[in-house]
Amino acid sequence: MTSSVALCTYNGEHYIAEQLDSILNQTLPVSEIIICDDRSSDRTPDIVKGYAQKYPDLIKVYENPENLGYVGNFEKAMSLCTGDLVFLCDQDDRWYSHKNEYITQFFKAHHKINIVTHNIKLFGETVSSDEKTTYWDIESVHPEEFKDSRNIIKRILYQGNVFPGMSMVIRNTFLKAHLPLKKIKPVIIHDYELLLMAADQDTVWVEKSILGEYRIHPQQNIGFQTFSKFSTSGKSPITREKLFTVFQRNSFVKETVLGLRLDPSLQNGYKDYCLRSYRNYLESLSLLQRFIVQVKMKYYFHIFDYLK
């Protein structure tokens, strides 16, 4: 079983060599590394072309004639991959040396799985070297809750994606069947879109093993503002503002279900989720507060209009 790495770069001169070295140091070597550079203005193109010259049969570098953006660049990189498995890869993270071997063996043994997403450890400028915080600690993800793909799709559709692309590996037959991407909403980027469709088909596996490290730094596209301020003190209770956010998301869920042609029952399921959140919020209040809030929510804030 062959493996491709879809690696996208943009002004990543400080970290790209470390990432490439971690990929090259695999116990089971990858078959190809496809690098698409999105018009970097720093030394990134020179660095990756240097690696390509050293490993001409392994690394292929493509320099975009114009900036495609984060999603467009990944779409191009994925389309160029020829391996049986496609590893999504950012420029600033690190792989553990057994990642490819572990994932490849899993796909060999599970023919119906199209996407595997694994846990990752946080590291970087704002993370102490002795900390063992993982991405899923932040998102309160417990792999045992996701043995059923219905739970996976409900979690990522109803509350947002908790499985970053750099932790995802995709079976190429599934990937090519879903390219070009539908791009129905800006927030549904490449990894999120593919994950939603695979979960809808019950072909996602959430792997609890930590197979890489996610770098936290100020220049990254996603993550720094969230993770640099993260506290392990636990989740805060639901507030009125959070409740409104839950109800307002109904339109997003509706459009996503229609746009990606997901199971229609997910839409009604989200309405039930909103009502459960509403009841949980009321239960946190005193009896007098509960009565006042119910009246205000229905007749003043019109919160249930979001469910129409």
Side-chain angles (χ1 to χ4, degrees):
M1 181 170 273
T2 56
S3 54
S4 298
V5 180
L7 201 172
C8 290
T9 59
Y10 178 73
N11 290 346
E13 64 179 2
H14 297 297
Y15 309 117
I16 184 60
E18 190 173 5
Q19 173 66 294
L20 281 169
D21 288 342
S22 74
I23 299 171
L24 293 168
N25 192 38
Q26 293 295 296
T27 54
L28 175 66
V30 299
S31 306
E32 66 176 3
I33 302 174
I34 302 296
I35 302 176
C36 288
D37 186 78
D38 205 24
R39 302 291 295 172
S40 291
S41 58
D42 64 1
R43 295 181 53 252
T44 300
D46 294 333
I47 295 171
V48 296
K49 283 188 284 188
Y51 273 85
Q53 290 174 359
K54 189 175 181 180
Y55 302 95
D57 296 329
L58 178 65
I59 299 176
K60 299 178 179 65
V61 177
Y62 299 86
E63 295 183 85
N64 298 336
E66 59 183 17
N67 186 277
L68 299 179
Y70 186 61
V71 176
N73 199 25
F74 258 107
E75 185 173 30
K76 176 180 177 179
M78 292 187 297
S79 70
L80 294 168
C81 290
T82 62
D84 299 315
L85 305 178
V86 177
F87 289 70
L88 303 189
C89 185
D90 291 333
Q91 65 188 3
D92 47 8
D93 305 310
R94 296 190 301 219
W95 288 21
Y96 286 174
S97 60
H98 65 296
K99 173 171 174 168
N100 184 39
E101 182 174 10
Y102 190 100
I103 292 294
T104 298
Q105 291 303 320
F106 181 89
F107 272 101
K108 283 182 177 179
H110 299 83
H111 302 287
K112 294 183 179 179
I113 295 297
N114 285 319
I115 290 182
V116 171
T117 179
H118 61 79
N119 202 358
I120 43 181
K121 181 179 176 294
L122 304 186
F123 80 108
E125 300 171 19
T126 62
V127 182
S128 173
S129 59
D130 59 353
E131 286 187 48
K132 296 183 179 179
T133 304
T134 71
Y135 193 102
W136 291 351
D137 291 331
I138 293 172
E139 297 287 0
S140 298
V141 171
H142 305 286
E144 61 273 10
E145 298 175 1
F146 296 111
K147 300 303 182 185
D148 181 351
S149 283
R150 298 300 297 175
N151 292 336
I152 297 176
I153 194 167
K154 287 179 180 179
R155 175 60 177 84
I156 63 178
L157 179 62
Y158 295 176
Q159 300 178 52
N161 192 16
V162 292
F163 305 113
M166 58 79 64
S167 71
M168 283 174 51
V169 186
I170 310 170
R171 196 179 294 275
N172 206 355
T173 50
F174 172 85
L175 174 61
K176 294 304 194 293
H178 292 88
L179 290 180
L181 298 169
K182 291 184 173 60
K183 303 176 187 175
I184 61 170
K185 296 181 75 68
V187 71
I188 304 180
I189 61 175
H190 56 286
D191 51 4
Y192 193 10
E193 178 176 323
L194 293 166
L195 192 59
L196 282 166
M197 290 190 289
D200 190 52
Q201 298 175 15
D202 193 20
T203 61
V204 173
W205 175 260
V206 177
E207 174 54 51
K208 65 181 180 180
S209 301
I210 301 172
L211 299 176
E213 295 180 323
Y214 183 90
R215 188 189 300 270
I216 306 302
H217 64 90
Q219 289 75 42
Q220 68 188 155
N221 282 316
I222 302 171
F224 179 73
Q225 291 299 321
T226 298
F227 300 141
S228 61
K229 299 175 183 177
F230 171 68
S231 169
T232 56
S233 59
K235 282 190 170 182
S236 57
I238 189 168
T239 63
R240 191 179 73 179
E241 290 72 21
K242 288 182 180 179
L243 184 63
F244 271 99
T245 300
V246 170
F247 274 69
Q248 290 166 347
R249 189 177 176 86
N250 182 57
S251 62
F252 168 85
V253 172
K254 181 179 180 180
E255 292 172 19
T256 301
V257 169
L258 293 174
L260 296 182
R261 299 179 182 177
L262 305 178
D263 184 346
S265 69
L266 290 166
Q267 187 176 332
N268 287 331
Y270 189 72
K271 292 181 180 179
D272 292 338
Y273 173 76
C274 290
L275 295 175
R276 285 198 304 273
S277 299
Y278 177 67
R279 290 193 293 268
N280 291 339
Y281 174 65
L282 292 178
E283 289 174 2
S284 69
L285 306 175
S286 67
L287 287 176
L288 178 59
Q289 287 177 317
R290 195 177 303 173
F291 174 76
I292 295 172
V293 166
Q294 284 179 302
V295 173
K296 282 187 173 182
M297 287 292 190
K298 184 174 182 179
Y299 298 106
Y300 182 74
F301 294 113
H302 300 282
I303 192 171
F304 298 107
D305 288 351
Y306 291 114
L307 302 185
K308 293 181 180 179

